[in-house]
Amino acid sequence: MLEKTRAIVLHTIRYNDKSLIAEVFTESHGAVSFMVRIPNARKSVMKNVLLSPLTLLEIDYDHRDNLRLQRLIDVRVWEPYSSLPYHPLKQTIALFLGEFLFYALRNEGPSAAMFRFLVSSLQWLDTKPAGFANYPITFLIRLSRFLGIWPTEEEAQRMLPADEQSLVPLILRMDFATMHLFQFTTLQRQRLLVVLNDYYQHHITGFPSMKSMAILREVLS
C-alpha cells in the first residue's frame, strides 16, 4: 500500500556498492527500515538526505506488513535546517542522537506525541545560536518520558555516587527553555551522559554503549 508520511533519518549503513539500509522514524508507522538503491550521481538528493542524521523528510513508500525492509519510492526534505548540518558542535550532537535514537526507537510503533517532541526538539537546537551544552542531557531525560521509562528521583539518585546525587533534582527539572540556567562542570556533564546511557541500557533490551559517546564527550569538554 502506498504511504506518504513525515520521517526523521536515524541511521544508515552501506549494504553493497549500489544500496544502503536506512533506518528512519516515521510519523505513521514508527520505526521503519528501508532498502534503498542509490543512483550513481554523486549529487543525488536521495543519497545526500539519507546520509545526514536527523534530516526531516517527507517520504513515499510501498508499505508491506510482511517485509522487514520496505521499498522507498520518493524522498523530499520536509523542513530544512538552517544550522544543524553546518555547525561543528551541532553536527556532533546530531551524530550522537541519531545513533542513540536508532537503538532507543527501533522497536517503537507510531506515536504522534513522540514524533512532535523529536521534531520540535531538533528544530529548537537548529535555531539556538549558543547555550546548548546541556542539550544532550535534557533531550535524553525528556525522551525517557515518551518511552515510559521516566526515572523517579529515588531511582535517579541510585545511579549516581553520593557526592553527585544533589544533581538529580536539577536534571529532572531541566527543559530546553531553562537548561542554560543549570551550571555543570565538564566532568559532571560527561558523567551524566554516561549514567543516562547506562540507564537506557538497563531499561531497553539490546541497547549498547554508544560509539559516538566518546566523540560527544570530547567535544563538550
Side-chain angles (χ1 to χ4, degrees), residues 6 18 34 38 43 47 55 58 65 84 94 121 144 184 189-190 205:
R6 296 182 295 183
K18 296 182 179 181
F34 293 101
I38 299 299
K43 294 184 178 180
K47 179 179 179 180
T55 302
E58 186 176 58
D65 289 333
L84 191 59
S121 300
S144 70
F184 301 116
R189 192 175 290 117
Q190 292 177 340
T205 302

Side-chain angles (χ1 to χ4, degrees), residues 124-125 128-139 142 170-171 173-185 189:
W124 183 94
L125 177 62
K128 190 70 174 176
F132 50 82
N134 290 333
Y135 178 89
I137 297 169
T138 306
F139 184 96
R142 294 291 153 187
L170 300 181
I171 64 174
R173 289 204 308 271
M174 283 197 309
D175 58 29
F176 297 122
T178 63
M179 68 181 188
H180 66 284
L181 301 174
F182 296 84
Q183 301 299 313
F184 301 116
T185 67
R189 192 175 290 117

Side-chain angles (χ1 to χ4, degrees), residues 7-195:
I8 304 168
V9 177
L10 302 183
H11 182 68
T12 57
I13 57 173
R14 179 72 64 176
Y15 182 74
N16 56 36
D17 290 341
K18 296 182 179 181
S19 304
L20 58 79
I21 296 174
E23 312 284 352
V24 306
F25 190 75
T26 68
E27 187 175 26
S28 63
H29 284 87
V32 179
S33 301
F34 293 101
M35 176 69 75
V36 184
R37 289 185 61 83
I38 299 299
N40 292 328
R42 294 183 64 185
K43 294 184 178 180
S44 162
V45 172
M46 182 176 289
K47 179 179 179 180
N48 290 339
V49 299
L50 289 175
L51 291 177
S52 301
L54 307 184
T55 302
L56 303 177
L57 303 177
E58 186 176 58
I59 63 175
D60 301 329
Y61 73 103
D62 185 16
H63 179 77
R64 304 294 179 92
D65 289 333
N66 60 334
L67 290 181
R68 188 181 74 84
L69 296 174
Q70 303 291 330
R71 184 170 68 90
L72 189 61
I73 297 173
D74 193 21
V75 57
R76 301 165 297 281
V77 174
W78 162 46
E79 290 284 350
Y81 293 122
S82 61
S83 70
L84 191 59
Y86 317 111
H87 189 289
L89 177 53
K90 291 182 182 182
Q91 279 185 316
T92 304
I93 292 174
L95 179 66
F96 169 75
L97 291 182
E99 183 185 10
F100 197 98
L101 289 170
F102 165 61
Y103 291 110
L105 304 182
R106 58 184 168 179
N107 295 316
E108 290 295 311
S111 168
M114 181 155 59
F115 190 84
R116 287 194 301 269
F117 163 76
L118 296 174
V119 170
S120 63
S121 300
L122 296 173
Q123 291 176 328
W124 183 94
L125 177 62
D126 182 56
T127 59
K128 190 70 174 176
F132 50 82
N134 290 333
Y135 178 89
I137 297 169
T138 306
F139 184 96
L140 298 188
I141 284 289
R142 294 291 153 187
L143 176 65
S144 70
R145 187 180 295 279
F146 294 93
L147 294 173
I149 57 172
W150 176 267
T152 64
E153 185 167 327
E154 293 74 18
E155 185 178 19
Q157 286 178 333
R158 289 196 295 270
M159 296 186 291
L160 291 168
D163 61 342
E164 294 181 341
Q165 290 181 358
S166 60
L167 298 177
V168 170
L170 300 181
I171 64 174
L172 293 182
R173 289 204 308 271
M174 283 197 309
D175 58 29
F176 297 122
T178 63
M179 68 181 188
H180 66 284
L181 301 174
F182 296 84
Q183 301 299 313
F184 301 116
T185 67
T186 297
L187 290 177
Q188 286 174 331
R189 192 175 290 117
Q190 292 177 340
R191 171 64 179 163
L192 287 171
L193 284 171
V194 172
V195 166

